[in-house]
Amino acid sequence: MASVAGKTAFITGGARGVGAEVARRLHARGANVVVTDLDEEPLAALIDELGDSRVHTELVDVRDLPAMEAAAGRAVERFGGIDIVVANAGIASYGSVLQVDPEAFRTLMDVNVTGVFHTVRATLPAVLVRRGYVLIVSSLAAYAAAPGLAAYNASKAAV
């Protein structure tokens, strides 16, 4: 792996799970990390855990393009640019096509698919300047659909 020391990573859905672990590992290797999520408490816990000037958190919804653009702008202001984007934010909804609530399906698609678009759209100008890298997190569910996860399977295949 090339060195990430001094690089800036912008991670969505980063307050817990895969996103938080990516933030921890990149931070441990010397990267600046911008961690976004909807949940303030785990974001605060992560900043307390990592606790230095190389960590910045943003309470932002990936479904809101102007908010994502503003978060990306603040990341550029804080660290001078964005080198790495990890479009990780995602949710799951359980049930077959006949069982999933249509509103829950819409919300899931907005987060898992439109949220990825908003993340990339908001950060890409800065990433291009630095000839950086965009990683879009999908799932094996895109290739081998799991029973009872119709909406999730569809969203990860779309990604």
Side-chain angles (χ1 to χ4, degrees):
M1 171 194 286
S3 175
V4 295
K7 306 280 187 190
T8 298
F10 187 100
I11 305 161
T12 63
R16 65 180 65 79
V18 170
E21 188 59 24
V22 168
R24 286 182 191 101
R25 289 179 184 220
L26 290 172
H27 182 266
R29 288 179 168 85
N32 304 312
V33 292
V34 178
V35 183
T36 75
D37 207 290
L38 279 178
D39 295 323
E40 191 169 7
E41 192 173 311
L43 274 176
L46 186 63
I47 204 166
D48 287 344
E49 174 189 337
L50 300 178
D52 66 28
S53 63
R54 292 186 296 112
V55 180
H56 176 73
T57 60
E58 288 280 341
L59 193 62
V60 64
D61 187 338
V62 295
R63 297 174 294 175
D64 183 344
L65 179 57
M68 289 298 293
E69 291 169 333
R74 287 187 293 273
V76 170
E77 276 179 33
R78 173 86 184 262
F79 296 118
I82 299 171
D83 302 281
I84 304 159
V85 174
V86 182
N88 172 71
I91 59 173
S93 176
Y94 300 97
S96 68
V97 172
L98 290 174
Q99 295 168 327
V100 172
D101 175 64
E103 189 57 37
F105 180 86
R106 260 186 236 94
T107 299
L108 184 139
M109 294 301 277
D110 281 348
V111 171
N112 293 8
V113 180
T114 306
V116 167
F117 173 78
H118 289 168
T119 299
V120 175
R121 174 79 181 230
T123 58
L124 195 57
V127 171
L128 289 172
V129 167
R130 292 201 171 177
R131 301 179 56 92
Y133 186 81
V134 175
L135 173 68
I136 298 172
V137 177
S138 184
S139 168
L140 286 175
Y143 301 100
L149 293 170
Y152 181 80
N153 296 331
S155 73
K156 292 305 180 173
V159 167

